[in-house]
Amino acid sequence: MQNSFDFQYVFELLPTLFRYLGVTMEMALWGFVFALILALGLALVRVFKIPVIQHLAALFISFFRGTPLLVQLFLLYYGLPQISPLFLMDAFTAAVLGLTLHFAAYMAESIRAAILGIDKSQMEACLSIGMTRLQAMKRVILPQASRVATPSLMNYFIDMIKSTSLAFTLGVAEIMAKAQMEASSSFKFFESFLAVAVIYWIIVLFFTRIQHLLEYKLNEAY
């Protein structure tokens, strides 16, 4: 049994894993876009306290924040099709949907907190000059709230990238799934999972840098 660490194997495996990076990033990007749209809707429903719907939004947020992502993925991919064939979906779609619903619940609370953090006098000033609440929200409140919410939203995006690794449990051929297959065939488990860890680390460092530049740009006027 070979116990020595195989550096050459890691370097040879990295290019193979990078070929599957596109699938990982596609899941994360689609998931983030859909989650952001859903989160904004949930946040506005709770901020405006729309009757009935605000309670449904709160229930949605409570469920998806209070249950593990892996359980949610299994419910979507394996559970829902047992209820009706209409819920049948491929593994990639189920993974994106799971990421969307899970992170929308967290992002909604960040957006809501950012909106509520804007001084109420600004909404009152907008209403006093004839704007509707929606116009004031669109033109004045949300642009300021976006600056406040950006750091937490970027953190959720980075977390979403790492969470795509759970998609391999549904059979999605992304970098984690490829690392698992390579480890099983070569029995070099440490080397294989170290290689995939390095890739995730590089991705996170890249987007962390993007986050810092974005925060600096948004704060220039302040």
Side-chain angles (χ1 to χ4, degrees), residues 152-174:
S152 61
L153 294 179
M154 282 299 298
N155 285 333
Y156 286 131
F157 176 61
I158 290 171
D159 195 22
M160 186 179 290
I161 293 173
K162 293 183 288 185
S163 296
T164 59
S165 60
L166 294 175
F168 91 96
T169 61
L170 306 184
V172 180
E174 41 76 67

Side-chain angles (χ1 to χ4, degrees), residues 14 52 93-94 114 117 127 132 134 146 151 158 173 180 189 204 207 220:
L14 285 173
V52 181
T93 302
L127 296 177
T132 64
L134 282 176
S146 64
I158 290 171
Q180 175 70 33
F189 292 95
V204 168
F207 281 103
E220 273 186 334

Side-chain angles (χ1 to χ4, degrees), residues 121-133 135-136 139-140:
S121 62
Q122 298 201 40
M123 175 62 79
E124 294 169 357
C126 292
L127 296 177
S128 69
I129 61 173
M131 286 188 187
T132 64
R133 290 177 67 84
Q135 288 175 331
R139 299 175 183 177
V140 179

Side-chain angles (χ1 to χ4, degrees), residues 172-189:
V172 180
E174 41 76 67
I175 57 176
M176 185 64 187
K178 184 59 178 177
Q180 175 70 33
M181 289 187 288
E182 292 294 331
S184 299
S185 62
S186 65
F187 295 101
K188 296 182 184 294
F189 292 95

